[in-house]
């Protein structure tokens, strides 16, 4: 039963493997170039397992100790998982002990696969969900560990390497832009960023920006949803 579920889950995760592995390598190299021990990328990719948050966490760990700010930043960056979780309540029902890991390992890619996949007849759904989640996380952990090993063997010029995070966010933004029928959320994000940048400055605008974006999307969720349907 488990093997059959694993065989059914694996093909769905192959595109994720390609992306996670190479971005994970970049993350591992970035961590090593930032001065962290070789084990740190592996531990963080297992415990945090939030791609964009892990890149941001590097700067957080190098900055002065500010637990409240770090908590708020982490919460807002990963806040979308609250909505993912609500969407998966029914699917993850009756998954037994596996539910704990399914909740812990939920990420954008695992959500997309588990929410939309056509599970073959005779395959246990709970194990299918479990293996999709496990495989996706393993790709990230292996990539981050590989990057850490590469970073320890070769010296890399750290200057400019952090731009990979900016590039990743740009790619995500463009991907979402192409998938959306209307671009209200994108314009809200751009507008809020520019306004907060002008008000709070380049060193302090990120947290207020995310609060503004999240608040607007939460308040106007129903009107925006109707526009999507009408479009």
């Amino acid at each position: 039963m488990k093997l059959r579920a694993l065989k059914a889950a694996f093909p769905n995760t192959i595109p994720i493997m390609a992306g996670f592995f190479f971005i994970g390598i970049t993350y591992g190299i970035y961590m090593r170039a930032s001065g962290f021990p070789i084990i740190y990328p592996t531990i963080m990719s297992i415990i945090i397992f939030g791609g964009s948050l892990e890149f941001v966490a590097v700067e957080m760990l190098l900055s002065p100790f500010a637990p409240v700010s770090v908590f708020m930043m982490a919460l807002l960056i990963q806040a979308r998982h609250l909505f993912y979780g609500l969407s998966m309540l029914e699917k993850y029902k009756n998954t037994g002990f596996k539910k704990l890991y399914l909740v812990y390992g939920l990420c954008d890619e695992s959500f997309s696969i588990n929410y939309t996949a056509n599970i073959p007849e005779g395959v246990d759904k709970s194990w299918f969900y479990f293996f999709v989640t496990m495989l996706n996380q393993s790709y990230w952990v292996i990539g981050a560990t590989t990057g850490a090993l590469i970073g320890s063997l070769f010296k890399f010029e750290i200057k400019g390497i952090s731009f990979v995070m900016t590039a990743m966010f740009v790619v995500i933004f463009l991907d979402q832009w192409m998938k959306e029928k209307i671009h209200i959320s994108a314009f809200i994000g751009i507008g809020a960023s520019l306004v907060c940048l002008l008000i709070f400055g380049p060193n302090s605008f990120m947290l207020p920006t995310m609060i503004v974006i999240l608040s607007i999307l939460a308040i106007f969720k129903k009107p925006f949803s109707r526009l999507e349907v009408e479009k």
Side-chain angles (χ1 to χ4, degrees):
M1 179 176 66
K2 296 178 185 179
L3 182 60
R4 190 171 184 179
L6 176 60
K7 288 181 178 179
F10 176 68
N12 290 275
T13 67
I14 291 176
I16 311 303
M17 176 174 61
F20 271 19
F21 183 68
F22 289 106
I23 296 177
I25 288 177
T26 304
Y27 170 68
I29 294 174
Y30 181 41
M31 284 287 289
R32 289 292 293 144
S34 298
F36 292 95
I38 191 171
I39 194 64
Y40 266 58
T42 302
I43 293 175
M44 291 180 66
S45 60
I46 292 174
I47 295 176
I48 299 177
F49 189 41
S52 55
L53 177 58
E54 289 182 50
F55 278 95
V56 174
V58 178
E59 297 298 326
M60 291 178 179
L61 291 172
L62 294 173
S63 302
F65 184 62
V68 176
S69 178
V70 169
F71 172 78
M72 290 301 298
M73 179 68 77
L75 178 63
L76 290 170
I77 289 175
Q78 301 298 96
R80 65 189 185 281
H81 289 179
L82 295 172
F83 303 100
Y84 292 168
L86 292 173
S87 301
M88 298 303 291
L89 283 176
E90 186 62 31
K91 288 184 176 292
Y92 286 172
K93 187 178 180 180
N94 300 323
T95 53
F97 70 91
K98 296 182 284 295
K99 182 182 290 186
L100 292 175
Y101 179 67
L102 291 172
V103 172
Y104 171 76
L106 184 65
C107 65
D108 300 10
E109 292 74 14
S110 296
F111 167 77
S112 298
I113 295 173
N114 286 339
Y115 191 79
T116 61
N118 293 317
I119 302 174
E121 187 176 349
V123 173
D124 185 280
K125 292 184 178 181
S126 65
W127 281 111
F128 178 90
Y129 298 147
F130 177 86
F131 284 122
V132 166
T133 305
M134 185 195 72
L135 287 168
N136 284 342
Q137 183 173 15
S138 69
Y139 302 147
W140 181 258
V141 174
I142 292 170
T145 304
T146 302
L149 292 171
I150 293 173
S152 64
L153 295 174
F154 304 98
K155 290 188 177 295
F156 289 87
E157 174 59 50
I158 189 173
K159 184 178 180 180
I161 195 172
S162 60
F163 182 74
V164 68
M165 185 172 68
T166 304
M168 181 177 69
F169 282 131
V170 170
V171 171
I172 292 173
F173 175 82
L174 292 175
D175 181 62
Q176 288 300 115
W177 178 279
M178 294 175 66
K179 289 179 179 178
E180 289 179 338
K181 297 178 180 179
I182 58 175
H183 308 294
I184 293 178
S185 59
F187 289 128
I188 290 172
I190 294 172
S193 299
L194 292 175
V195 171
C196 290
L197 178 62
L198 292 173
I199 296 174
F200 298 100
N203 296 322
S204 306
F205 82 101
M206 183 63 72
L207 191 58
T209 297
M210 299 191 73
I211 292 174
V212 170
I213 293 173
L214 189 61
S215 299
I216 294 175
L217 292 177
I219 293 171
F220 297 100
K221 179 182 178 181
K222 289 185 178 179
F224 292 162
S225 298
R226 285 198 296 267
L227 285 174
E228 283 279 359
V229 174
E230 292 172 1
K231 190 71 175 180

